Amino acid sequence: MKLQIQNGQIRNMFDASETIGDELLQQVLGKGADSQMKSIVATIQKEQNAIIRNDKSRMLIVQGAAGSGKTSAALQRVAYLLYKHRLTIRADQIVLFSPNPMFTSYISTVLPELGEENMQQTTFQEYLDYWLGSSLQPEDPFDQIEYVLTAQGAPGYEARLQGIEYKASEAFLQALQNYGMWLGREGMRFNGIRIRDRDLITAERMRAKFYSYDRSLPLFNRVVLLQEWLLNELASLERMEREAPWVEEELNYLDTEQYVEVFGMLHKEKELLDLAEHFAVVREKMSNKRREDEGDFDFAQREEDLLRRRIVKESFKPLRKSVKKFSFVDVKGIYGQLFEGGAAYREKTNGAVIPPLWPEICRQTKEKLFRNELFHEDATPYLYVKELIEGVRTNTEIRYVFVDEGQDYSSFQYEYLKKLFPRARMTVLGDFGQAIFMQATSLDASDSPLLRLFGEAETSLVRLVRSYRSTREIVEFTKSMLPGGEEIAPFERGGQKPLLTRLDGGEKRDAQILADIAALRAEGFDSIAVITKTAAESREAHESLRIHGGEALQLITKETLNFEKGMMVIPVYLAKGVEFDAVLVYDSSPEAYGRDNERKLLYTACTRAMHRLHLYTTGDWSPFVQALPANLYEKATY
């Protein structure tokens, strides 16, 4: 047995035969949770070196249990790569996709602490928002999961779930690839170019021109040829438009400043003409030509010509700009026509198999598109179709891509990331035990799409099964919730067993939670989270606790950008990747965590705790709690 003693008091006890023997690790794990992820990165263990120093694999997959140090190892890996390749790789050539902006704040100090510049950090949602622009409003993943967790029984609910699952699949990706080939033969849709409620170039004319090009050319190349043709057509139409009646009308409404500007331009033009003729006279001494008088320069006609040219040029400027941005392609219509019915879909996608509730999926998707919105599950496929037509937006500068909480990405999204960063090596970190989103991807199953993304020869898989975050008692409790959780090994740091508290009514529960928070703070725990299932429950719990005296509790929402140590109420999906001294699960009833797809939600909530874990209910316990051996927890009833 190894003891850590400070000022005559035992601070920590460890079984020296079971621990790795890293005293710094023991000290760090005995401390409270910090407001940023800092000193834990100094405690990397031997099994994590396989992650840090892997310099060969194009794809490195890390399947790690909750609290196994996945993110710590990944950040050390970044520091290692920046140091080893300091002459060839810069920090801005590495990008990390975080689960949410708050998590980005949580890890923001790590690399500077290691003496390295911070890499680029973003979320996949921020990327989607940027490239979709203002034309379409995509739903974010947190609104999607709120719907999944709260809308049971609502009309169309089962169809939406089928749509989420299908649109995240490799089957849908293959269907869209086939759709691209179909568009090469027929079905392209264009937006006509109009000026003053008049067609300049119709959609029908564009379509005819597009399909006149060599059909062996890729879709994108033909769109570029059409773009060039449109720009030339606009240049010709612009010259013709100067004589249009509306231009004459515009001349009558020009202000004085515009006339003065044109008058000045004409004087400069005349001076240049006079100067040119002067040199011509010098050169041609045999000629005695002279300008007869200024009347030869017709100011009035030149002024009108210049003004007409400027009026038309300004009117055509946004048309040229929109053509350069491919706005003449009706991408929304092209994506939307996929959802016109089962027979039409199979025709366009070479016989793709469709979900049973496809008609309702189509109705929901088209209704969303009509409002210029996208479901979260449609955002990546929509961009994929857009890039089939307009060309792939690749970033060849990025050399390494890190994906944290990688189990929450779909196979479709991984294919998209691979295409987006063609020169990059990828490191994916996650825990399928915490796969709480419907589009989840298994990281280490034999049929995982990640194992096929770059090929077996260029892929390495590392499994981390030892959990360092939580005490032994908390790990034993949480791992028993998961099928196959027996392989998770706790770090030998002892503590109290999780406490299960049943109360008679919500008011008593809130009062007890506040009393427990006060007791935990008296013990010296500063980072305390009341974790709820959903954002809606977080708002209700926060308000109820505030009324009963919990004014100091901060409500964490998807808009929260900075993670700060303290007391908070937070939905479980925003707490992913973060740790707290103490976790209080607000409602552990069957109503909150009763369905099988809610098992991992409860597991994720409980595994956020480092030192203390409390669960509450005002009725029965969740079946996932009831199934646990009684020796893994303590009970309290009030």
Side-chain angles (χ1 to χ4, degrees), residues 88-101:
T88 56
I89 296 179
R90 306 184 308 274
D92 63 3
Q93 293 177 300
I94 301 176
V95 61
L96 168 67
F97 284 90
S98 297
N100 55 63

Side-chain angles (χ1 to χ4, degrees), residues 187-203:
M188 281 291 287
R189 298 177 62 157
F190 299 99
N191 297 311
I193 298 176
R194 295 172 62 82
I195 189 169
R196 293 180 167 263
D197 298 323
R198 190 175 91 254
D199 286 326
L200 279 178
I201 306 173
T202 65

